[in-house]
Amino acid sequence: MPEGDTVLQTAARLHAALAGQVLTRSDLRVPRFATADLTGRTVLDVTARGKHLLTRIEGGLTLHSHLRMEGAWRVFAPDERWRGGPGHQIRAILGNTGHTAVGYRLPVLELLRTDEEDRAVGHLGPDLLGPDWDPAIVLDRLLARPDRPLGEALLDQRNLAGIGNVYKCELCFLARVTPWLPVGALPDGALPRLVTLAERLLHANRDRPTRTTTITSELRTPPPRGPGPAPVLDSGRLRPRPPHRVQERLYVYGRARRPCLRCGTPIRLADQDDRPTYWCPGCQSGPTP
């Protein structure tokens, strides 16, 4: 499921394949932009903003895409067979002499002026993986609606950008509260700790091929603010606690009816705002459906 960490990885792959290269192929398969021709223009950069992707192109243009639940961008070599879905699911093709980027099942795809990017991403809160990260702003926005369930508040990209349903469930577990607990009912000091943990958790996974929340050693040190990979701590090794947790990458998400890694209680599953939500009734306090 695309969230801030995987969208950042997608941006890095697209940037490596397209940036600085002249487009020799351009095909936007959405009615509004079907006649747009970007061939002959140089791709300047590809960047992530929360869960949005911005591909900036010579001439003051930006191709804005959002993956939501099932979208994906794939990069292929010239003679490589395209893999990512049937042809009718392709929404965008951007190619140069060395690579072709293919966007599958993109629910959001629009071409806009680069100086008008705020139309697409201006509503977003501070980006957990971006240079604009500001926990004070995030706390103010979360506390502005103290009666709102924590899970819903964490998913609201206007509060903080980058958290999706997986991280929502995992963060609530790590905070030992249910996603239905009102933001204002969190114990004293719990919300600032949760916001700090969210940043560290996404940074720990920004370069990891498979999202993992059960390895916690790197969460104890603040991540660097700036470019470059997340730090590898503990003398080059990531030490799990306890050892048996290495086999489980997530504490609760996707583990309905399986025993909690912490207390052994079966994990529960219910919908919150039409999203599957997992929690441990033994470890997490607060209201439930």
Side-chain angles (χ1 to χ4, degrees), residues 162-179:
I163 289 179
N165 205 40
V166 176
Y167 279 121
K168 177 199 79 173
C169 296
E170 296 295 295
L171 285 166
C172 288
F173 175 82
L174 291 168
R176 294 179 177 265
V177 298
T178 70

Side-chain angles (χ1 to χ4, degrees), residues 16-265:
L18 300 176
Q21 302 296 318
V22 176
L23 291 174
T24 57
R25 184 173 183 182
S26 162
D27 187 359
L28 305 182
R29 299 182 181 179
V30 293
R32 185 180 174 187
F33 302 105
T35 60
D37 184 7
L38 302 175
T39 56
R41 297 175 185 259
T42 300
V43 175
L44 304 179
D45 68 82
V46 183
T47 190
R49 179 73 172 86
K51 296 192 288 183
H52 298 251
L53 285 163
L54 302 171
T55 302
R56 299 184 178 114
I57 301 167
E58 180 185 18
L61 297 176
T62 294
L63 185 65
H64 166 234
S65 58
H66 195 296
L67 306 181
R68 288 190 181 165
M69 299 288 286
E70 297 182 354
W73 279 96
R74 300 282 188 263
V75 176
F76 304 106
D79 298 327
E80 188 176 0
R81 179 175 176 270
W82 292 5
R83 307 172 310 281
H88 71 267
Q89 293 182 349
I90 295 174
R91 296 292 176 266
I93 302 172
L94 298 176
N96 54 46
T97 56
H99 298 91
T100 301
V102 183
Y104 291 88
R105 301 172 299 280
L106 302 175
V108 176
L109 184 70
E110 60 176 342
L111 191 64
L112 55 142
R113 301 291 306 176
T114 300
D115 58 11
E116 295 179 349
E117 285 180 356
D118 275 357
R119 286 172 37 204
V121 297
H123 66 286
L124 297 176
D127 187 341
L128 284 151
L129 294 173
D132 66 319
W133 174 247
D134 190 330
I137 293 177
V138 172
L139 287 171
D140 286 344
R141 295 187 180 185
L142 290 171
L143 291 170
R145 296 180 59 184
D147 295 334
R148 192 177 193 186
L150 177 61
E152 293 181 12
L154 290 175
L155 286 180
D156 190 337
Q157 303 299 296
R158 296 170 296 184
N159 293 330
L160 68 171
I163 289 179
N165 205 40
V166 176
Y167 279 121
K168 177 199 79 173
C169 296
E170 296 295 295
L171 285 166
C172 288
F173 175 82
L174 291 168
R176 294 179 177 265
V177 298
T178 70
W180 293 271
L181 184 74
V183 171
L186 282 163
D188 289 345
L191 191 59
R193 290 194 297 270
L194 181 62
V195 170
T196 297
L197 180 60
E199 181 201 17
R200 295 182 182 179
L201 197 57
L202 265 76
H203 268 274
N205 282 284
R206 61 179 292 170
D207 298 304
R208 188 174 284 151
T210 304
R211 185 179 297 127
T212 303
T213 63
T214 54
I215 295 178
T216 57
S217 59
E218 70 267 44
L219 304 183
R220 303 185 190 119
T221 300
R225 302 310 306 176
V232 178
L233 306 180
D234 294 339
S235 302
R237 294 183 299 118
L238 300 178
R239 294 203 296 263
R241 59 174 181 90
H244 72 272
R245 290 180 180 166
V246 173
Q247 299 177 9
E248 296 285 354
R249 295 189 177 275
L250 302 174
Y251 281 108
V252 293
Y253 190 88
R255 301 190 68 251
R257 297 180 296 279
R258 296 172 62 189
C260 172
L261 298 178
R262 181 182 283 152
C263 73
T265 303

